[in-house]
Amino acid sequence: MAFGLIGRVVGTKPSRLSTAARLIPARWTSTGSEAQSKASSGGGGENLKTFQIYRWNPDNPGKPELQDYKIDLKDCGPMVLDALIKIKNEMDPSLTFRRSCREGICGSCAMNIDGCNGLACLTKIECGSKETTITPLPHMFVIKDLVVDMTNFYNQYKSIEPWLKRKTPASVPGKEILQSKKDRAKLDGMYECILCACCSTSCPSYWWNPESYLGPAALLHANRWISDSRDEYTKERLEAIDDEFKLYRCHTILNCARACPKGLNPGKQITHIKQLQQSG
Amino acid sequence: MGASKLSGMQKQVLSLYRGFLRAARSKPIEDRKRIEMIVSTEFRHNSKEVDRKNFQYIEYLLRLGTKQLDQLKSPDIISLSSVKVVASKT
């Protein structure tokens, strides 16, 4: 019980902090039974790491700030998401971030860690005493702390009509539309996309034209439906994105392939679409 | 009210306000009065409290308002209601 009370006192510190402000180290707050039972973590053998996390509260709006938190890595899981959850549980309950599966499949915890976009649940905490900086996905409107507004991203995904469209009914009505193994293999590298938005928010072209350029994620999905052998609206799909802004803002910067936490290559799929546009 | 040129952001705020009033017109008369009351008190409160130069917060409020307006425009929604929360010290 006392443990929780200590946490709340820490949380009521004023939200406007100077840049040098540090919160009380984790050792002080965890004077509860858990930390004392781990005799090794007290005193020597402690591994403190500082996390600088972007904070902005719409209820007390001021300038966004980077707030410092010290975490004992011996007490914490290996991934950045473990550190964030530990901070939220023990040090600052007002820290806001999205998370769900904790295994890199839902795409909720996408954020910018040390300058690179990635999933917090899949990014290991870097050992060493360097500070880790955690900010929300770049060039996205911030709703609170690390939570960003994804509506534009989702609307762009919706606009490419990501569902199977057919003109003729299935050859065996009521049964699956068959597809050869080779045709199914064409979809590998595209169906795994979890719509985390790491790629689109790492693309400078998307930063400068977020409303008109569709972005690597939406174009990857557009290619997924264009390449699907069961889909019969290929020509219409290609014509819909054959636009100066929707497709051709891509200048093969290839930041998307670098940022993708699932190892996909949206740039390659966009090149494939451009080739089809050329030949078609 | 300044008769001088309005900045782009001020125009956006005014057009959002107008959008709310227009949406209120399409609702039944009792709900219409309630919507207008809530919207006007919210806008007036923010215009006094929020610093004119706090662009980030104003843009945040504009986005929030646009989303709420889109919801209000839908014919399924009939009214707005607002609750005042007072933070207790306990």
Side-chain angles (χ1 to χ4, degrees):
Chain A
M1 267 307 155
F3 181 73
L5 269 176
I6 290 167
R8 209 174 303 136
V9 164
V10 169
T12 53
K13 282 203 155 33
S15 56
R16 284 172 196 257
L17 293 172
S18 66
T19 46
R22 277 164 201 256
L23 275 197
I24 298 137
R27 226 189 321 159
W28 183 80
T29 52
S30 51
T31 48
S33 48
E34 291 161 55
Q36 297 216 311
S37 62
K38 291 185 189 142
S40 58
S41 63
E46 206 180 56
N47 194 358
L48 286 184
K49 183 156 177 102
T50 311
F51 287 90
Q52 287 185 322
I53 304 186
Y54 180 104
R55 304 298 309 272
W56 184 69
N57 189 352
D59 298 325
N60 287 336
K63 283 199 168 297
E65 270 158 357
L66 286 178
Q67 199 168 325
D68 285 352
Y69 299 92
K70 277 197 192 329
I71 286 279
D72 182 6
L73 293 185
K74 286 196 188 299
D75 251 349
C76 181
M79 302 299 183
V80 173
L81 184 65
D82 298 318
L84 285 170
I85 290 174
K86 190 175 162 73
I87 294 170
K88 191 175 170 79
N89 280 346
E90 296 174 11
M91 298 168 84
D92 187 355
S94 69
L95 178 64
T96 309
F97 53 93
R98 286 194 174 119
R99 84 281 174 272
S100 185
C101 69
R102 61 103 176 89
E103 59 183 358
I105 197 69
C106 69
S108 312
C109 53
M111 52 188 75
N112 189 303
I113 298 158
D114 276 334
C116 295
N117 286 353
L119 299 177
C121 55
L122 290 181
T123 310
K124 293 199 182 68
I125 302 174
E126 215 183 293
C127 296
S129 54
K130 266 195 280 127
E131 299 174 330
T132 301
T133 309
I134 302 177
T135 54
L137 290 174
H139 224 275
M140 285 244 144
F141 291 120
V142 175
I143 298 175
K144 184 176 179 181
D145 292 347
L146 299 170
V147 175
V148 295
D149 188 358
M150 302 272 278
T151 43
N152 183 31
F153 178 75
Y154 294 145
N155 285 338
Q156 284 166 335
Y157 175 61
K158 198 161 101 168
S159 73
I160 56 141
E161 298 191 343
W163 52 79
L164 194 65
K165 298 204 286 192
R166 282 183 75 85
K167 296 176 180 159
T168 60
S171 53
V172 182
K175 291 268 182 182
E176 303 93 335
I177 301 166
L178 297 176
Q179 188 177 47
S180 73
K181 277 197 180 161
K182 264 179 75 180
D183 284 335
R184 174 63 184 80
K186 285 191 200 149
L187 302 181
D188 288 338
M190 296 187 277
Y191 80 92
E192 301 99 323
C193 174
I194 55 175
L195 291 174
C196 62
C198 285
C199 59
S200 291
T201 48
S202 66
C203 176
S205 220
Y206 189 74
W207 294 342
W208 315 140
N209 304 297
E211 325 258 303
S212 38
Y213 177 42
L214 288 181
L219 290 171
L220 177 115
H221 280 275
N223 191 33
R224 180 249 177 277
W225 290 104
I226 288 168
S227 317
D228 195 334
S229 62
R230 301 169 290 173
D231 182 86
E232 287 168 351
Y233 275 75
T234 313
K235 198 158 145 291
E236 287 83 346
R237 287 183 191 272
L238 281 169
E239 273 165 24
I241 55 172
D242 187 15
D243 186 13
E244 169 73 50
F245 274 96
K246 287 198 185 126
L247 172 64
Y248 291 104
R249 284 301 97 198
C250 171
H251 303 304
T252 53
I253 299 170
L254 286 175
N255 249 6
C256 49
R258 197 153 170 247
C260 181
K262 306 293 282 180
L264 308 181
N265 191 342
K268 185 166 151 219
Q269 316 306 339
I270 296 175
T271 315
H272 184 250
I273 303 178
K274 288 180 186 169
Q275 283 169 347
L276 286 176
Q277 299 278 22
Q278 276 284 68
S279 56
Chain B
M1 275 281 122
S4 57
K5 255 189 139 187
L6 293 171
S7 77
M9 193 169 280
Q10 284 172 322
K11 285 189 200 150
Q12 278 183 315
V13 173
L14 288 174
S15 84
L16 182 66
Y17 186 63
R18 244 175 298 158
F20 267 108
L21 295 183
R22 274 191 207 130
R25 254 186 270 160
S26 62
K27 311 288 177 197
I29 184 122
E30 241 184 64
D31 304 311
R32 182 181 162 187
K33 290 208 182 98
R34 192 183 310 163
I35 294 173
E36 284 173 0
M37 170 79 55
I38 290 174
V39 167
S40 69
T41 35
E42 180 82 24
F43 271 79
R44 281 183 206 284
H45 178 259
N46 281 338
S47 75
K48 289 201 197 82
E49 299 293 322
V50 180
D51 180 21
R52 287 178 79 212
K53 293 188 226 81
N54 196 351
F55 300 132
Q56 187 171 17
Y57 187 48
I58 297 175
E59 280 173 5
Y60 166 81
L61 289 171
L62 276 170
R63 266 178 275 132
L64 196 60
T66 325
K67 278 209 189 120
Q68 288 172 340
L69 180 57
D70 287 335
Q71 281 186 326
L72 187 64
K73 277 190 200 156
S74 142
D76 302 326
I77 308 291
I78 49 167
S79 174
L80 285 181
S81 80
S82 123
V83 178
K84 189 163 181 180
V85 177
V86 179
S88 66
K89 292 289 179 185
T90 47

